Amino acid sequence: MNNELKKLYDVIVIGGGITGTGVIHELAKYDIDVALLERKNDIAMMATKGNGGVVHPGYDPHPGTLKAKLNPRGARMYPQLAKDLDFHIRHTGTMVFAYSDQDLKKVDELCDNARVNGVEQVERITGDQVRNREPYVSDKVLGALLAHTTTMVDPFEVAIAFAENAKLNGTDIFLESEVQDISKDEDGNFTITTNHDTYRTRYIVDAAGIYADDVAAMAGIHEYKIQGRHGNLCVVDNHLPTPIRTVMFPCPSPDTKGIALIPMPHGNYIIGSTATMRTNKEDTSNDAEGIQDLLDGAHKLIPNFDDGSVIRTFAGQRPVALNNDNDFWICESETVPHFIHAAGIQSPGVASSPGIAEYVRDLLADAGLDLKPRPGYNKYRKAPVDFSECSDEEKDQIIAQDPRYGQIVCRCETVTEGEIVAAIHQPLGAHTVEGVKRRTRAGMGRCQSGFCQFKVMKILARELGIPEEAVKFEEDHSPVLLGHVK
């Protein structure tokens, strides 16, 4: 198609993780034309999906870094965002344990970091105070940093909420759109070629995660390199014999915060994560050595941790900008004007996301983008009903209005047919089995979808108007069925 006929966007964001969706959510407040290009068939399919979900308050980043600036700002924004965008958030606090005098010095350093970074409600407590708060903690713990403001979220739920709100405010979102070429036109604008179409834009925000350097290279930019830091994670049942309320970390190393026990918003737990550099950007496989490291790490925090409570393992890769002191790489390109890097977003990327979005907005304004408030902007987004959280009276009312809410599909997580149908028909609705899982938790419980997957598949086929054998588990070439069954 002739580019003269193509719509000219003000900004195109490349990458639909929590960074990219955070940016389009922020830009939706302004009277500009914005689009998001995501190569996968859903939002939050890469680093955002392979994440423990801790909203770190900001005591860890070294003062003076971008992380130290954006992490506390983003973390402070989460409680209000959760109210506006209707996603789950759990206020847990964090404890960083010291097992030696050297660790106690590190705890003091982290407390100093917190003060310099402007993080409030951080204190050093004794080992006895630790065990008064969490009785199953090891007797070897001598003391800890306690950060009261740490919260927990499901990162993919946040990214979906960001994207749905942006879409409701006029942002175009193109899934399954893999960027294959970027050229700068004579008029100073960009042409982006994907596997499906071409797009024109005045500004680009590169939030392509592990592939951000490859996307930048398409525009002739070679200012940094990205490599993945692989991490194994375990999902733990919500009936842990040694339950905890607080996120627990050991003292951090230079490259990782260490193996943590994390209570999640819906009641189960995560053990995460290991940290090894990988050259294969697609490698999200688990390895036995890494899983054993996770279990050993859990036992160091809680000596009587029950290994049998692990119900699933998964892995992800954090995109690390090499030779950058483990900091984010967020700036306008030095060589190609109007190309904004939002790269190297490793931990604490989830916590920093709202702060990163504001920072990128300001970079765009500094680069000449005129930002005026959008008339009629709606900052709210309503999530589908979570039936498991309703009172008995509310459940009766909901079922009376729609009997599909009386049909339990996922017994482990008490997810109804009505919730699955609603998730499919949301503004950025689910169209795969895993997409339904991320939006409703159907399949996240103890049986890991052994009971409900077939029912979810049938509902997807019915609501999408496609044959059952055409329903995808996740990405392309992942059918649930290979043919008809009796």
Side-chain angles (χ1 to χ4, degrees):
M1 182 179 290
N2 189 332
N3 281 340
E4 294 296 326
L5 302 179
K6 303 292 286 187
K7 176 180 180 179
L8 176 64
Y9 286 97
D10 293 301
V11 182
I12 286 183
V13 178
I14 301 173
I18 199 166
T19 301
T21 57
V23 171
I24 62 170
H25 168 255
E26 177 62 30
L27 296 182
K29 300 173 183 174
Y30 302 94
D31 192 18
I32 54 176
D33 289 322
V34 179
L36 181 137
L37 304 178
E38 166 55 46
R39 74 185 180 103
K40 297 287 188 178
N41 64 2
D42 202 354
I43 291 299
M45 295 274 281
M46 294 292 285
T48 302
K49 186 173 70 172
N51 190 289
V54 180
V55 181
H56 301 279
Y59 56 78
D60 190 65
H62 187 69
T65 62
L66 261 181
K67 284 184 178 180
K69 177 178 181 178
L70 302 179
N71 177 182
R73 171 61 181 154
R76 285 193 291 269
M77 295 169 69
Y78 263 94
Q80 187 61 49
L81 284 169
K83 292 178 182 177
D84 293 345
L85 302 178
D86 200 16
F87 60 77
H88 292 84
I89 189 167
R90 182 175 179 182
H91 299 261
T92 61
T94 302
M95 289 194 289
V96 180
F97 294 157
Y99 294 88
S100 65
D101 290 342
Q102 186 175 358
D103 284 350
L104 287 171
K105 292 179 181 177
K106 184 63 181 178
V107 165
D108 288 338
E109 290 178 17
L110 294 176
C111 290
D112 291 341
N113 277 1
R115 282 190 287 274
V116 176
N117 293 344
V119 181
E120 299 178 344
Q121 300 184 56
V122 173
E123 61 178 319
R124 175 174 158 175
I125 60 176
T126 67
D128 288 340
Q129 288 175 307
V130 168
R131 284 175 285 277
N132 284 336
R133 185 181 176 92
E134 296 287 358
Y136 299 106
V137 168
S138 168
D139 290 338
K140 296 180 181 178
V141 172
L142 302 178
L145 171 147
L146 172 59
H148 293 271
T149 60
T150 300
T151 57
M152 291 302 311
V153 297
D154 280 326
F156 44 78
E157 185 186 9
V158 177
I160 291 168
F162 281 157
E164 287 189 348
N165 176 265
K167 186 176 175 67
L168 288 170
N169 282 292
T171 301
D172 290 331
I173 297 176
F174 301 101
L175 301 177
E176 299 183 83
S177 297
E178 182 174 0
V179 175
Q180 297 180 334
D181 186 60
I182 299 173
S183 61
K184 195 83 182 269
D185 305 330
E186 292 182 358
D187 59 4
N189 299 315
F190 295 96
T191 294
I192 301 176
T193 304
T194 73
N195 52 327
H196 289 306
D197 211 336
T198 60
Y199 303 87
R200 300 188 70 231
T201 182
R202 298 169 58 211
Y203 296 82
I204 288 175
V205 176
D206 179 2
I210 198 80
Y211 289 103
D213 56 341
D214 299 311
V215 168
M218 294 179 195
I221 301 169
H222 305 278
E223 297 169 3
Y224 64 94
K225 288 295 294 181
I226 293 287
Q227 191 171 338
R229 183 176 288 139
H230 177 277
N232 294 279
L233 300 100
C234 292
V235 181
V236 179
D237 193 7
N238 54 9
H239 298 296
L240 189 65
T242 53
I244 61 171
R245 298 172 299 152
T246 315
V247 179
M248 299 177 179
F249 281 95
C251 277
S253 71
D255 293 330
T256 173
K257 294 178 178 65
I259 293 171
L261 258 175
I262 305 167
M264 297 298 290
H266 292 87
N268 60 330
Y269 305 85
I270 295 285
I271 312 173
S273 64
T274 54
T276 56
M277 299 300 287
R278 299 280 172 93
T279 55
N280 181 356
K281 295 185 175 184
E282 293 290 327
D283 183 2
T284 55
S285 60
N286 286 122
D287 57 84
E289 182 180 354
I291 298 301
Q292 187 58 55
D293 287 344
L294 291 176
L295 295 175
D296 292 344
H299 281 284
K300 185 175 181 180
L301 301 167
I302 303 290
N304 293 326
F305 177 81
D306 178 12
D307 293 357
S309 61
V310 174
I311 59 175
R312 187 182 180 86
T313 61
F314 66 104
Q317 289 208 37
R318 295 91 99 180
V320 177
L322 299 178
N323 304 314
N324 191 41
D325 293 330
N326 264 329
D327 205 0
F328 301 147
W329 190 286
I330 310 174
C331 57
E332 185 179 12
S333 168
E334 297 174 352
T335 54
V336 178
H338 295 187
F339 190 104
I340 308 296
H341 302 296
I345 312 301
Q346 49 168 302
S347 179
V350 170
S352 306
S353 171
I356 291 172
E358 289 188 339
Y359 192 72
V360 168
R361 174 203 63 194
D362 292 345
L363 288 174
L364 287 165
D366 291 344
L369 181 63
D370 187 19
L371 294 173
K372 296 178 180 176
R374 177 183 299 280
Y377 169 70
N378 180 5
K379 71 175 184 177
Y380 299 106
R381 168 259 187 188
K382 185 64 178 173
V385 169
D386 187 333
F387 194 74
S388 66
E389 295 184 344
C390 295
S391 67
D392 289 344
E393 291 76 15
E394 291 170 332
K395 289 177 180 175
D396 288 343
Q397 292 175 4
I398 293 169
I399 293 171
Q401 294 173 357
D402 186 342
R404 292 175 296 187
Y405 283 88
Q407 301 294 324
I408 302 296
V409 175
C410 173
R411 294 176 177 176
C412 300
E413 298 293 321
T414 318
V415 180
T416 67
E417 180 182 354
E419 292 170 88
I420 294 171
V421 171
I424 293 169
H425 295 294
Q426 276 286 100
L428 198 61
H431 52 275
T432 66
V433 171
E434 288 290 278
V436 169
K437 180 179 179 180
R438 286 189 288 275
R439 288 165 175 81
T440 68
R441 297 185 56 76
M444 284 194 178
R446 182 79 196 184
C447 86
Q448 286 292 292
S449 76
F451 175 79
C452 65
Q453 186 179 103
F454 183 69
K455 293 184 176 182
V456 170
M457 181 202 67
K458 291 177 73 71
I459 295 170
L460 275 165
R462 183 189 72 206
E463 296 298 319
L464 298 176
I466 60 176
E468 292 176 1
E469 57 266 33
V471 174
K472 298 174 185 175
F473 178 73
E474 180 71 295
E475 300 189 62
D476 289 342
H477 312 298
S478 64
V480 181
L481 299 179
L482 297 178
H484 289 289
V485 294
K486 292 183 179 178

